Amino acid sequence: MSQIYLIKDLARLTGYSIHTIKFYLKIGLLKETGRFPETNFRYFNKSTQNRLNKIRELRREGKSLKEIKLLLKR
């Protein structure tokens, strides 16, 4: 079974704030893997962590969030 992260874990592992991760979810850069039925907490997996690392890399290259969204859709 793959590693499952809550949003707070993802923030700690990637250095992004919870607020930024929620914003990226809102604008469609990220998608949650699922939700725990009992608590309705979002959960994420390793691919979300990798995607956040890729977003950071593209931001360092000066790409806008709109450009990043288009690049990641490919």
Side-chain angles (χ1 to χ4, degrees):
M1 186 173 158
S2 66
Q3 183 71 35
I4 294 175
Y5 306 111
L6 295 175
I7 198 166
K8 67 178 183 170
D9 302 321
L10 197 57
R12 181 180 46 78
L13 289 168
T14 62
Y16 281 98
S17 69
I18 291 172
H19 175 80
T20 300
I21 293 171
K22 285 181 178 181
F23 177 70
Y24 287 174
L25 286 163
K26 182 178 179 179
I27 65 171
L29 274 177
L30 294 176
K31 292 184 180 160
E32 60 195 40
T33 303
R35 288 191 181 246
F36 289 107
E38 299 84 25
T39 61
N40 209 29
F41 288 168
R42 295 177 182 104
Y43 63 90
F44 307 91
N45 60 20
K46 185 73 173 172
S47 67
T48 312
Q49 182 182 2
N50 294 339
R51 190 170 178 102
L52 281 167
N53 291 334
K54 182 66 175 173
I55 291 169
R56 175 169 280 126
E57 178 183 315
L58 292 168
R59 291 293 285 162
R60 285 185 179 148
E61 292 175 9
K63 305 278 191 237
S64 71
L65 292 178
K66 189 175 184 177
E67 290 173 311
I68 291 171
K69 192 173 182 180
L70 290 172
L71 288 169
L72 293 177
K73 279 188 175 181
R74 293 181 187 168

